Amino acid sequence: MSDSRTTITFARGDGIGPEIMDSTLEVLRAAGARLDYEEIEIGEKQYLAGNTSGIGPEDWKTLQRNRIFLKSPITTPLGSGYKSLNVTVRKSLRLFSNVRPCRAYAPYVSTNFPDIDMVIIRENEEDLYAGIEHQQTDEVVQTLKLVSRPGCEAICRYAMEYARAYGRKKVTCLTKSNIMKHTDGLFQKVFEEIAKEPQYSDIETEHRIIDIGAALVAAHPEDLDVIVTLNLYGDIVSDIAALVAGSVGLAGSANIGFDAAMFEAVHGSAPDIAGKDIANPSGLIHAATKMLVHLDQGDVAEKIRNAWLKTLEDGIHTADIYKESLSKEKVGTKAFTQAVIERLGQKPTVFEPVAFANKGIRIELPEHPPREKKLVGIDVFIDWTDSDRDPDVIGTRLQACNGDGLKLKLITNRGVKVFPEGLKETFCTDHWRCRFILEEGLEKCSHSQISSLMLRVANAGFDFIKTEHLYTFDGERGYSLAQGE
Ligand code: NAD
């Protein structure tokens, strides 16, 4: 537990944001949180004033200085040209981990799965969210999926440390490594390396393919504990989980980095109920308790969380969860806030009281010696529609470009081998991946050999649209084999 005070940045946001932030700050103050506060303005007004990422330059400086951000939801104006504030903050402050607990509060909140209590830990900076996309031919577009070893190490270690800190029993890693052997394969490999470390020996670990993993989240969520996964899968799975738990309006999330963090409710700015004193402030209150744990003020977090559970048990409910059979009193945002404050120091009796003995989680990344990288070939992508797209024609013409130690090994179309000896049934688009590799007996080639090859391909009249170098790292193949290779 830390006695020192921390200055945090907070923003009231849009819609119901100001009401739920006022409620949360009141609870924090009443509970004795050791915090000082600096307010910034984010959201719609900033967007409309011409700050395309929803935050002004001065406010950005405040955020960078304090590095702890409690954020209300914002309304993103309709129309293009606005950048997501969340993505900007995540990337700029290197908030690599998104943590979304997902639990049921039965019988007070309806759910088919009263025993759900899982946490989804999602990689936050990489994967398909790099948004690097290109139209390469008339028929084919592509997006780049980028996954790094340090990125995998940070998130997988964070998940294992989280499980340890919160006494969780099992960590499930979800990937599609059976198909994406290099990107998702790296994530799985790093997870398995870290999971084997002796300090995690009492935590059960497993890897599952994302399809069955997502189905499990929907059908047997109570069997899952901590999930760690890549950005896109985490995005999808956390919404499935929130829906089956029935408590999306109550959940808070944390975006954690090495020396910065952002905490917010999972829901949006709910403009339909803004300014009416009916919004449920619980999501932001939960986000704030996560912030306190992160700041090593688990004692205050515990007090707030137990008071909140007691309020729920006592049947004091906002309109979104009110049920005549279970609730005692339907209250607005302000009255709910007062009810929580009155219960500070009390413990729930139906729900298990929480105890946050742990500190915020800090991780360090290991350094790895660089591996020996050898250039062993090139994939040349060609836009080609001549000769009724006959693979044997493009193959024979490209073989004429062989030389200087490099020869055509195969051609694929959308990943399927079509030359040599393709199947005539395979549908061919205008996008051909032509793999040139080193001749037998050669160990590596140079960039000038690759350049000469490209010149021969261009002189043969081919429209090459992109290339990917083929490397080995310490002798290990750094590229996927084609289907049928
Ligand atoms: P929303 O979550 O704001 O609202 C969905 C429904 O849930 C609405 O009926 C709303 O009244 C209700 N609801 C949400 N929070 C509630 C609460 N605390 N108490 C009671 N009821 C609540 O989603 P939306 O309508 O799709 O989005 C509205 C705006 O919020 C959009 O501009 C969207 O871009 C933005 N948004 C922002 C964030 C964020 O800032 N992190 C996240 C999601 C959506």
Side-chain angles (χ1 to χ4, degrees), residues 61-79:
K61 277 189 203 145
T62 310
L63 208 53
Q64 281 175 307
R65 187 173 59 246
N66 294 331
R67 307 191 79 76
I68 299 289
F69 186 24
L70 181 64
K71 171 182 169 285
S72 264
I74 59 169
T75 304
T76 318
L78 296 175

Side-chain angles (χ1 to χ4, degrees), residues 19-20 23-24 249 267 279-286 318 333 336-337:
E19 297 161 73
I20 61 173
S23 155
T24 303
H267 60 73
N280 188 341
S282 302
L284 192 61
I285 294 176
H286 286 155
T318 44
T333 317
F336 183 81
T337 310

Side-chain angles (χ1 to χ4, degrees), residues 16 20 42 71-78 86 248-250 264-273 278-283 318-320:
I16 58 169
I20 61 173
I42 55 163
K71 171 182 169 285
S72 264
I74 59 169
T75 304
T76 318
L78 296 175
N86 274 13
V248 66
L250 307 183
E264 63 178 341
V266 165
H267 60 73
S269 61
D272 52 330
I273 56 164
I278 51 177
N280 188 341
S282 302
T318 44
D320 54 316

